[in-house]
């Protein structure tokens, strides 16, 4: 009864890992053809495996019910003799044991009940027996309602006292969605890269695909890891791949420095994750000596979640969120993502837009039962998450308007959209946040890949030297236009639905919190961001594709259309950007007559729910809920349309030529533009306030104390001094007189014997 | 049983023999005497071993191994004396002395 899907779990990770290993070791010798075949095939295979697991999960959810087993247990107890009963209980337990692969919660609970029922039944205590029976049936029914998942345990990793960490992969509804996005979008981007990197030398080419495959494997470890520590391996793995790929062209010191910056900023966040992990462990250990100290998500969520928690748990959650701000580029650690654009463009699409940067959202959604109740000095942690998310969304969205580098626009846009997701997560709308994560992965990937095609064609990243590309590369134009409209939240495209769902949940949260002004403020910040998003999306398309071509110059070549290996992923992702919104459209589910579940609802059972955590939350089918929903949709589309209109007015109707560009913005607007182009001067501020003093202090410390005193005087001179002193002392004993040597020998023997004797009598 | 052959007495005699040997090694200058003293130490240890072998004769296997070890030590000691004496003769021919304090003997440390 061991489902074959379970065996696929390690294979899903192993396939890209082996691909990386193969390309890393032999790629250089085997040539580009072999390298690209292996590199493109591995994420595709992983995608098919993940799809098989997805359908397996779906079948398991609609397969035999847990209560069947429970009924078996109950039947075993009815009017049976004691020996008979024991035998049947054993049989029932065996049938339960076969279900170990499914999500443990119901099974573990069922086994507990069996243990409870077993002795009670044997004790012939009728009253206790009835209580236990009722209890077991209730749990069985609850277990039937819970969605299934797969577990695959590769063995124990760490076991110290009652602290235990397993090398265990878990796939449930949340992780399978991310796995499909990672492998699916990953495959398309690998395919695109074969053409984008095609002009590189074969060694560089192999290195690139090695890193990219390694990234896919690490990201899969991140989302499939069953405990916090295993997730952290993936977390660090993707950070390393990100570093390697940002500084991919390491001969250029500026690009290598960008990689270092991303790495260092991420390490600061990772410190938060580690400290948060410690806090949660200590909080667990305070529950008593019998509680197993496991970092398993399910264990953590069950032990610490579901109730209001201040103190260590709150602090731990806040620290974990600090880690998320590092990985997912939120204030205060968002400054690395725009610099990450130094990497090749497909990397920006895959790692710095679609997958890695969403790890923070995944982490909070994964641990949402704990986050939902966590508080720090009276402030709910999720409130902080929402506030940070909304502020980041707004400020980064504004900064995106001021950028002239096409990739920087998309980078700030990504920071802004991630802020949206954190707003959704903070408003306890995990499903909506994951929905936006998926749609964002599609439309941001198409935008980045399109930008890559544009850069490939024009050999510049500055939008001032583009323009008029509509006629040269129509495929890229249309797919990017769809992506930009989806990003802008243009009605009926994917971004519209997901963004609206997040804003709506913020509004609902405001309502539930007794119309707290902060939540209304967050809602309006989100709405404003929607407007800004539409403005910069239109600006991006306008400056790149409309008007006349401003690049080239005398004798310059005309830009060429994207080759087919680059165009086909654009097509697929463009289509997904249009239709992915249907995944969350209520009308679709009604049409499918319950056969399919909406993406946000699909995820809902495995994450914390707003309605269960809050009182005063409007019921999903109440009148007030629907009127708010309609109003929200209307206001959201208004904001998007206004933004598109403003963008059209400034950059669409009459695109600036190269000469008039600088004079276009004058007066007070020029100052605003300056601030936005420099992204609110945050980088400069951090540099002046934190980096430079730290560098100054640390270099002084290292030079004066570590290098001069410790290394030069202590280690180098010290070694010599110690040797001289030691030999001055020992030379006294080397006299050449045999009798004296013999005396030393005897004294030594006596001392050793005395020690042995003293030791033996003391023990 | 003769009082000299009680287990305690045997061990005391063995220890005395050993200590006399140690004293000889430490106090004498003549290499020949020192070698003889070393023999005394060896025999002290041997006596201790056979004493224990006798004391624990009722434990099968233990006493036999102790006696075998003593025989072994005797054989090794004989070989060692042969080598030691020949080195002594070689040294005597070289410096015309068997004193360990002889100025030319101390240069052997180099």
């Amino acid at each position: 009864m061991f489902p074959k899907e379970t065996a696929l779990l390690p294979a899903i990770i192993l396939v890209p890992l082996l691909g990386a290993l193969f390309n890393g070791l032999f790629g250089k010798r085997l040539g580009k053809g072999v390298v690209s075949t292996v590199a493109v095939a591995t994420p595709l295979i992983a995608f098919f495996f993940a799809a098989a697991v997805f359908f397996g999960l779906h079948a398991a959810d609609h397969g035999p019910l847990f209560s069947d087993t429970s009924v078996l247990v109950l039947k075993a107890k009815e009017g049976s003799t004691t020996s008979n009963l024991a035998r049947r209980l054993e049989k029932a337990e065996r049938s339960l044991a076969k279900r170990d692969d499914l999500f443990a919660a119901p099974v573990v609970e069922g086994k507990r009940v069996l243990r409870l029922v077993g002795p009670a039944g044997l004790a012939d205590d009728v009253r206790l027996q009835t209580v236990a029976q009722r209890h077991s049936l209730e749990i069985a029914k609850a277990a039937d309602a819970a969605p299934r998942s797969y577990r695959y345990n590769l063995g124990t990793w760490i076991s110290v006292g009652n602290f235990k960490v397993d090398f265990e992969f878990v796939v449930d509804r949340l992780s399978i969605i991310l796995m499909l996005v990672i492998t699916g979008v990953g495959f398309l981007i690998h395919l695109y890269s074969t053409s984008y990197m095609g002009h590189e030398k074969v060694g560089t080419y192999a290195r690139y695909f090695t890193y990219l495959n390694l990234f896919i494997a690490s990201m899969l470890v991140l989302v499939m890891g069953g405990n916090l520590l295993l997730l952290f391996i993936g977390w660090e793995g993707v950070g390393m791949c990100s570093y390697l790929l940002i500084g991919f062209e390491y001969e250029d010191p500026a690009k290598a420095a960008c990689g270092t910056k991303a790495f260092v900023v991420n390490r600061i966040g990772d410190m938060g994750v580690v400290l948060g992990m410690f806090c949660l462990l200590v909080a667990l250990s305070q529950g008593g000596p019998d509680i197993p100290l496991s970092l398993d998500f399910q264990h953590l969520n069950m032990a610490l979640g579901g109730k209001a928690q201040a103190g260590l748990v709150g602090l731990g959650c806040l620290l974990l969120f600090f880690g998320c701000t590092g990985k997912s580029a939120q204030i205060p650690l968002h400054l690395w993502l725009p610099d990450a654009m130094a990497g090749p463009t497909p990397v920006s699409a895959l790692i710095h837009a679609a997958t890695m940067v969403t790890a923070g959202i995944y982490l909070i959604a994964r641990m949402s039962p704990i986050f939902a109740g966590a508080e720090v000095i009276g402030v709910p942690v999720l409130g902080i998450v929402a506030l940070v998310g909304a502020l980041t969304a707004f400020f980064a969205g504004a900064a995106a308007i001021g950028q002239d580098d096409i990739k920087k626009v998309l980078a700030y846009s990504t920071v802004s959209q991630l802020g949206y997701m954190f707003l959704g997560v903070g408003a306890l709308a995990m499903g909506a946040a994951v929905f936006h994560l998926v749609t964002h992965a599609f439309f941001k990937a198409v935008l980045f890949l399109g930008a890559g095609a544009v850069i490939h064609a024009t050999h510049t990243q500055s939008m001032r030297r583009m323009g008029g590309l509509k006629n040269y590369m129509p495929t890229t134009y249309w797919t990017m236009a769809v992506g930009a409209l989806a990003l802008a939240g243009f009605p009926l495209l994917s971004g519209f639905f997901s963004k609206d769902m997040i804003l709506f949940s913020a509004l609902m949260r405001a309502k539930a919190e007794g119309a707290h002004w902060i939540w209304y403020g967050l809602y309006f910040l989100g709405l404003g961001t929607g407007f800004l998003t539409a403005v910069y999306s239109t600006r991006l398309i306008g400056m790149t594709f409309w008007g006349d071509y401003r690049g080239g110059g005398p004798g310059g070549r005309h830009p060429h259309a994207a080759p087919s290996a680059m165009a086909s992923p654009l097509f697929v992702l463009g289509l997904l950007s249009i239709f992915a919104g249907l995944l969350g459209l209520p009308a679709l589910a009604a049409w499918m007559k319950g056969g399919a579940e909406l993406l946000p609802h699909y995820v809902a059972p495995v994450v914390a729910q707003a309605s269960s955590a809050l009182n005063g939350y409007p019921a999903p089918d109440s009148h007030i809920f629907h009127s708010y929903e309609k109003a929200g949709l209307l206001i959201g589309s208004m904001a998007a349309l206004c933004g598109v209109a403003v963008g059209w007015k400034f950059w669409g109707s009459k695109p600036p030529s190269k000469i008039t560009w600088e004079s276009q913005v004058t007066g007070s607007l020029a100052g605003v533009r300056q601030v936005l182009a420099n992204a609110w001067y945050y980088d400069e501020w951090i540099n002046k306030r934190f980096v430079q003093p730290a560098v100054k202090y640390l270099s002084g410390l290292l030079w004066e104390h570590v290098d001069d005193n410790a290394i030069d005087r202590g280690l180098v001179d010290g070694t010599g001094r110690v040797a001289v002193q030691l030999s001055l002392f020992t030379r006294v004993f080397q006299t050449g007189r045999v009798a004296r040597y013999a005396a030393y020998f005897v004294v030594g023997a006596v001392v050793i014997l005395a020690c042995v004797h003293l030791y033996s009598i003391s023990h | 049983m003769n009082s000299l052959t009680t287990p305690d007495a045997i061990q005391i005699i063995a220890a005395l023999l050993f200590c006399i040997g140690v004293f000889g090694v430490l106090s004498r200058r003549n290499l020949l005497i020192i070698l003889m003293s070393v023999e005394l130490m060896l025999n002290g240890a041997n006596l201790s071993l056979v004493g224990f072998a006798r004391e624990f004769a009722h434990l099968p296997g233990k006493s036999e191994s102790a006696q075998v070890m003593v025989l072994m030590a005797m054989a090794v000691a004989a070989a060692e004396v042969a080598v030691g004496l020949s080195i002594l003769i070689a040294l005597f021919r070289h410096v015309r002395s068997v004193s360990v304090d002889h100025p030319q003997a101390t240069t052997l440390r180099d």
Side-chain angles (χ1 to χ4, degrees):
Chain A
M1 286 302 290
F2 189 74
K4 56 189 185 304
E5 287 85 3
T6 311
L8 282 179
L9 301 192
I12 292 176
I13 295 175
L14 215 57
V15 167
L17 198 61
L18 288 178
L21 207 63
F22 180 82
N23 276 340
L25 290 178
F26 312 115
K28 201 172 171 182
R29 258 160 273 163
L30 294 175
K32 289 186 188 176
V34 179
V35 170
S36 54
T37 311
V38 170
V40 172
T42 46
L44 187 63
I45 293 170
F47 176 73
F48 282 129
F49 284 175
V53 171
F54 173 76
F55 287 116
L57 274 180
H58 187 78
D61 276 342
H62 298 89
L65 295 179
F66 181 79
S67 46
D68 298 348
T69 320
S70 195
V71 166
L72 186 69
V73 175
L74 294 184
K75 271 187 186 155
K77 299 173 58 49
E78 272 166 17
S80 51
T81 62
T82 333
S83 62
N84 201 349
L85 176 62
R87 198 163 45 80
R88 290 213 190 167
L89 275 176
E90 207 172 283
K91 192 176 160 195
E93 188 146 24
R94 266 207 306 281
S95 84
L96 260 182
K98 283 176 188 159
R99 305 191 48 158
D100 254 355
D101 50 288
L102 301 178
F103 205 24
V107 178
V108 168
E109 202 51 35
K111 280 185 173 171
R112 204 177 62 78
V113 170
L114 267 179
R115 272 199 296 279
L116 193 79
V117 172
L122 293 173
D124 284 338
D125 183 333
V126 180
R127 195 171 48 83
L128 197 62
Q129 219 170 309
T130 353
V131 171
Q133 283 182 6
R134 203 186 308 132
H135 185 54
S136 106
L137 200 60
E138 266 167 24
I139 287 172
K141 279 179 183 156
D144 282 337
R148 307 280 183 259
S149 74
Y150 294 122
R151 265 170 187 263
Y152 191 90
N153 197 342
L154 280 174
T156 303
W157 181 13
I158 302 171
S159 178
V160 183
N162 56 350
F163 173 68
K164 190 161 170 281
V165 179
D166 284 337
F167 224 95
E168 187 172 41
F169 299 117
V170 177
V171 172
D172 66 354
R173 292 182 164 195
L174 179 60
S175 32
I176 190 68
I177 287 178
L178 268 96
M179 283 158 67
L180 287 172
V181 170
I182 293 160
T183 52
V185 177
F187 160 69
L188 291 173
I189 290 173
H190 275 74
L191 181 64
Y192 175 95
S193 298
T194 56
S195 169
Y196 188 85
M197 302 299 284
H199 53 86
E200 300 284 349
K201 285 199 280 291
V202 63
T204 319
Y205 194 75
R207 187 163 62 93
Y208 174 82
F209 281 107
T210 305
Y211 294 163
L212 218 54
N213 270 0
L214 192 62
F215 168 78
I216 298 273
S218 310
M219 192 69 204
L220 286 170
V221 170
L222 198 161
V223 296
M224 286 169 70
N227 53 59
L228 201 47
L229 207 55
L230 203 52
L231 175 140
F232 193 62
I233 294 186
W235 187 277
E236 291 298 296
V238 292
M240 184 193 70
C241 293
S242 156
Y243 161 73
L244 290 172
L245 284 162
I246 295 169
F248 185 73
E249 288 152 32
Y250 56 84
E251 292 93 346
D252 182 350
K255 291 187 174 175
C258 288
T260 312
K261 180 174 176 184
F263 198 70
V264 170
V265 175
N266 265 298
R267 286 297 80 69
I268 295 171
D270 294 345
M271 180 196 66
V273 178
V274 174
L275 292 178
M277 226 186 292
F278 291 156
C279 283
L280 292 185
L281 267 183
V282 174
L284 261 186
S285 69
Q286 284 172 349
D290 298 333
I291 292 187
L293 295 181
S294 161
L295 286 170
D296 189 277
F297 288 120
Q298 201 188 0
H299 179 77
L300 281 177
N301 285 342
M302 263 156 65
L304 300 175
K307 49 189 181 284
Q309 296 262 23
L312 268 175
V313 177
L315 185 65
C317 286
L318 193 65
L319 286 166
L320 283 176
F321 173 61
F322 184 67
C324 295
T325 62
K327 188 70 50 190
S328 296
Q330 299 295 293
I331 292 172
L333 296 179
H334 65 278
L335 68 174
W336 67 272
L337 192 60
D339 282 298
M341 297 301 124
T345 311
V347 169
S348 311
L350 179 61
I351 302 185
H352 305 119
T355 53
M356 181 187 86
V357 287
T358 60
I361 288 100
Y362 170 77
L363 178 62
I364 297 186
R366 175 52 81 215
M367 306 187 71
S368 49
I370 307 179
F371 271 87
E375 281 182 0
V376 173
I377 48 168
V379 183
V381 172
L382 279 186
I384 301 174
V385 172
L387 182 67
V388 168
L391 286 177
T392 311
F394 185 81
F395 285 112
I401 299 180
Q403 304 302 315
D404 284 337
D405 183 328
I406 187 168
K407 284 183 76 180
K408 286 267 166 81
V409 176
L410 292 174
Y412 279 107
S413 158
T414 304
V415 174
S416 166
Q417 297 300 308
L418 289 168
Y420 258 124
M421 293 176 213
F422 275 106
L423 173 61
V425 162
L428 261 174
M430 307 289 169
V434 171
F435 183 31
H436 194 56
L437 187 160
V438 172
T439 58
H440 175 255
F442 294 148
F443 61 67
K444 193 51 71 66
V446 76
L447 282 171
F448 261 118
L449 294 186
V454 167
I455 295 166
H456 202 251
T458 59
H459 303 286
T460 177
Q461 296 195 8
S462 170
M463 293 195 294
R464 294 190 189 188
R465 305 192 53 213
M466 295 175 183
L469 295 180
K470 184 170 78 169
N471 303 324
Y472 299 107
M473 31 201 335
T475 314
T476 316
Y477 169 61
W478 286 110
T479 47
M480 267 187 93
V482 165
L485 283 176
L487 169 65
F490 197 80
L492 302 182
L493 293 177
S494 60
F496 170 70
F497 292 109
S498 51
K499 193 181 292 182
D500 179 75
M501 198 172 280
I502 286 176
L503 288 178
F504 174 65
S505 39
L507 196 60
M508 283 293 99
R509 187 72 203 252
K511 199 119 187 66
E513 294 269 335
H516 199 295
W517 62 270
I518 266 213
W519 282 102
Y520 280 119
L522 293 183
Y523 171 71
F524 283 113
L525 260 184
L527 209 57
T529 310
F531 170 75
L532 294 176
T533 310
V535 173
Y536 69 70
S537 306
T538 318
R539 175 175 177 269
L540 172 80
I541 296 296
M543 282 179 74
T544 312
F545 291 105
W546 297 339
D548 301 320
Y549 184 49
R550 296 183 292 272
R557 286 178 303 158
H558 279 301
H560 57 84
S564 63
M566 282 161 80
S568 46
L570 284 175
F571 260 124
V572 177
L573 287 167
L575 286 178
L576 284 171
S577 306
I578 299 176
F579 294 112
L582 297 179
L583 292 174
L585 200 63
L588 182 78
W591 184 59
M592 301 276 280
K593 296 232 184 337
E597 282 173 282
L598 299 177
L599 181 61
H601 298 175
Y602 182 74
V603 180
V606 296
V607 292
Q609 278 305 87
S611 46
S612 64
L614 289 169
N615 294 323
Y617 214 80
D621 43 2
S622 64
H623 175 65
I624 189 152
F625 188 90
H626 282 302
S627 54
Y628 265 88
E629 197 173 26
K630 278 177 196 142
L633 275 174
L634 206 66
I635 298 171
S637 10
M638 290 285 283
L641 290 175
C642 285
V644 172
V646 169
W648 177 267
K649 184 181 178 307
F650 272 93
W651 292 280
S653 54
K654 205 175 178 194
S657 71
K658 200 168 14 180
I659 307 103
T660 60
W661 184 262
E662 289 302 333
S663 54
Q664 193 215 355
V665 261
T666 46
S668 58
L669 268 181
V672 173
R673 192 188 128 73
Q674 201 61 31
V675 171
L676 294 185
N678 285 294
W680 308 92
Y681 291 103
Y682 183 76
D683 248 33
E684 285 76 4
W685 182 75
I686 283 277
N687 234 335
K688 203 170 145 210
R689 288 272 163 241
F690 293 94
V691 181
Q692 278 170 7
V695 166
K696 209 170 165 187
Y697 174 75
L698 277 178
S699 51
L701 187 86
L702 287 174
W703 160 61
E704 209 168 335
H705 295 286
V706 176
D707 188 47
D708 232 29
N709 285 344
I711 295 179
D712 276 8
R713 280 190 207 130
L715 288 178
V716 179
D717 295 357
T719 311
R721 254 202 311 276
V722 166
V724 166
Q725 293 299 326
L726 205 65
S727 45
L728 278 180
F729 173 69
T730 48
R731 67 182 288 190
V732 175
F733 297 97
Q734 205 191 2
T735 53
R737 288 170 197 276
V738 177
R740 209 170 279 180
Y741 291 170
Y744 301 149
F745 173 72
V746 170
V747 171
V750 169
V751 167
I752 289 173
L753 280 176
C755 288
V756 169
H757 185 65
L758 283 176
Y759 179 79
S760 63
I761 57 169
S762 70
H763 281 72
Chain B
M1 191 186 271
N2 192 320
S3 64
L4 267 182
T5 55
T6 59
D8 284 357
I10 292 177
Q11 294 308 328
I12 289 167
I13 292 169
L16 277 176
L17 214 51
F18 185 84
C19 289
I20 293 168
V22 169
F23 179 76
V25 169
L26 294 182
S27 62
R28 291 313 179 105
R29 303 267 155 87
N30 191 327
L31 260 178
L32 207 57
I33 308 285
I34 289 177
L35 270 180
M36 286 162 67
S37 303
V38 169
E39 289 303 308
L40 273 184
M41 286 165 70
L42 261 174
N43 282 314
N46 280 345
L47 186 59
S48 170
L49 267 173
V50 286
F52 280 125
R54 201 179 131 103
E55 187 178 348
F56 297 112
H58 56 283
L59 297 176
K62 300 286 181 202
S63 87
E64 286 87 339
S65 57
Q67 289 172 15
V68 167
M69 204 190 273
V70 168
L71 285 174
M72 172 95 175
M74 283 175 167
V76 172
E80 173 232 306
V81 164
V83 175
L85 283 179
S86 31
I87 292 176
L88 186 69
I89 291 168
L91 187 72
F92 179 75
R93 282 183 183 157
H94 189 61
V95 299
R96 288 280 140 196
S97 162
V98 288
S99 167
V100 288
D101 284 346
H102 189 275
Q104 265 185 295
T106 55
T107 60
L108 286 176
R109 68 174 171 176
D110 305 320

